[in-house]
Amino acid sequence: MSVAIVVPEAAVPADHREADPVGTRELVERDARDFGAYARTGGWTFGLKVARSVRPGGQPAEGTPKVSAKEFAELAGCSADRVMRYYKAWDKAADDGLVPHFEALTPGGDVELPDADVWLTYYVPRSSATSARGTAITAAAEAEGIRPTKALEVAENPTALRAAILADPSTAQAARHALLDRLKEDPALQTELARDIARTDELKKAVAGETRAADRIEYVRKVAEEGQIRTPAGQTLDAPAALRAEAERHLSLIDDLDDSEEAGEWAAEAYGTVKSLVAETVEADPELRVQERRTKFYSSLQKATKVFEELTLDDAVDFDDIYEDDMVQRLEELQQAINTCITALRKASETR
């Protein structure tokens, strides 16, 4: 007896059991064409939809298939402000001759559209651009050679700007440069920033350190560029050639530093070297050394005289109100020191 063996048919993947629905290919191609059109024209694609379907303001509804911006927005599920931003962008482009005016368009009609990059020249993404603030931002963006839309987007999202500054050193650097530029014409910002620095210990220390470094660099620069030195007693003299050359060498090293390099240590070394050379210059010249001591004495005498002149009893009704036991003692000690100084000077005058 023979047995019939039935071989099962090979399983056919579900994807191939049925033919593709009719028209699927056409749908894919349509999506691809739409994608390509938007990639080429960007916002113009949506601008055209608004321009050919929304009637111009003031035009009556009778006799036109177009609808108002409000009705179009309701149909689109968005705000009327958004629709009007596209409307106004198209209107400005039409005035420039890039696209047809609204009156020449009908619902569903297609026209040749400009490149996508041009759209951002006309489209303003925020209604705030028409405000005084927006106008100022637009003007600043144009002065910097960038599209106003980018600057307006940043201004509308300060939290995002803060995040970028906190996370990215280059963004923080750009923000710092912008603040410094604004400080020149914004007294209120100057005051606020100065107050912030005064209230922050780390910033106060940093400012003090940078100020000290800047003063030291300026001291070295004056020696190198003007050829003059200032002695410890305050005399201004012509710098010797060797001293000036050393100052120029240090200054060149400082000027060659990158922005990322700290100048504090270099400034301290340059300042210390030049100051030491100034002191050596004074000590090496007997006449200059005497003149330095004389200048220092006069400076101290002038300071002491000024301080004593400020000592006044005019505010006291009588001495009983201000008297302390050590006042007379300290004045007597001062008088004794003055007498000693006078005696020494008189002896010196007798030997001349």
Side-chain angles (χ1 to χ4, degrees):
M1 183 174 101
S2 62
V3 179
I5 300 176
V6 179
V7 180
E9 296 181 0
V12 179
D15 293 344
H16 296 283
R17 288 176 184 172
E18 298 180 1
D20 287 344
V22 178
T24 299
R25 177 68 182 181
E26 287 77 3
L27 294 175
V28 172
E29 291 177 354
R30 186 182 67 185
D31 283 346
R33 286 193 298 271
D34 290 345
F35 176 83
Y38 181 74
R40 289 189 302 274
T41 62
W44 294 112
T45 300
F46 299 107
L48 174 61
K49 295 180 184 299
V50 171
R52 69 191 183 188
S53 299
V54 174
R55 64 175 179 267
Q59 186 181 86
E62 295 78 10
T64 176
K66 296 184 178 182
V67 298
S68 67
K70 181 180 179 181
E71 183 178 350
F72 188 89
E74 291 174 352
L75 293 171
C78 66
S79 68
D81 284 342
R82 179 182 291 273
V83 172
M84 286 306 299
R85 288 200 291 271
Y86 281 86
Y87 184 94
K88 291 175 181 177
W90 188 278
D91 191 27
K92 287 188 289 185
D95 288 340
D96 288 346
L98 288 179
V99 293
H101 285 281
F102 300 111
E103 293 78 8
L105 299 172
T106 57
D110 286 324
V111 296
E112 189 72 23
L113 297 175
D115 292 337
D117 291 343
V118 185
W119 172 253
L120 294 177
T121 305
Y122 296 95
Y123 178 72
V124 179
R126 296 289 186 274
S127 58
S128 61
T130 58
S131 65
R133 175 172 175 264
T135 301
I137 293 172
T138 298
E142 291 174 347
E144 293 289 334
I146 63 172
R147 292 170 180 156
T149 50
K150 293 294 184 182
L152 288 165
E153 288 174 2
V154 172
E156 287 293 328
N157 199 339
T159 303
L161 176 60
R162 170 183 166 82
I165 292 173
L166 290 174
D168 179 37
S170 62
T171 303
Q173 191 80 333
R176 181 176 70 85
H177 287 309
L179 280 175
L180 289 176
D181 289 341
R182 184 178 177 86
L183 278 175
K184 300 172 185 177
E185 300 178 357
D186 192 337
L189 182 60
Q190 293 175 14
T191 302
E192 292 172 4
L193 189 57
R195 187 181 298 120
D196 290 338
I197 292 173
R199 292 174 177 175
T200 308
D201 290 339
E202 292 80 2
L203 288 177
K204 282 196 296 185
K205 293 177 182 178
V207 169
E210 290 298 322
T211 301
R212 183 167 55 252
D215 289 343
R216 289 174 171 177
I217 293 173
E218 184 60 27
Y219 176 86
V220 176
R221 188 179 302 279
K222 189 169 184 178
V223 174
E225 295 181 353
E226 299 181 12
Q228 291 187 324
I229 60 175
R230 188 174 180 83
T231 67
Q235 295 186 86
T236 300
L237 308 170
D238 290 335
L243 195 158
R244 185 173 184 178
E246 185 67 10
E248 290 174 347
R249 185 182 72 82
H250 279 280
L251 186 62
S252 176
L253 293 173
I254 293 173
D255 289 341
D256 288 341
L257 292 176
D258 295 334
D259 292 339
S260 59
E261 295 183 273
E262 294 290 340
E265 293 184 5
W266 294 83
E269 180 182 350
Y271 179 78
T273 300
V274 174
K275 288 283 286 186
S276 296
L277 291 175
V278 170
E280 292 175 7
T281 300
V282 172
E283 287 298 317
D285 187 334
E287 183 178 347
L288 183 58
R289 186 167 64 249
V290 171
Q291 186 177 352
E292 181 76 354
R293 293 173 62 188
R294 183 183 296 114
T295 301
K296 186 177 181 181
F297 181 88
Y298 270 118
S299 177
S300 299
L301 180 60
Q302 184 177 4
K303 291 177 182 177
T305 302
K306 184 177 181 180
V307 170
F308 194 79
E309 288 174 347
E310 292 175 353
L311 182 63
T312 176
L313 304 176
D314 294 342
D315 295 335
V317 177
D318 54 51
F319 290 122
D320 292 339
D321 294 334
I322 65 169
Y323 178 80
E324 293 290 345
D325 292 338
D326 67 336
M327 286 184 177
V328 174
Q329 179 184 349
R330 296 181 68 176
L331 284 171
E332 288 175 345
E333 291 173 353
L334 178 59
Q335 184 180 35
Q336 184 178 357
I338 293 174
N339 289 336
T340 301
C341 185
I342 292 174
T343 301
L345 288 173
R346 283 176 176 169
K347 286 183 179 180
S349 66
E350 293 173 358
T351 60
R352 295 184 66 177

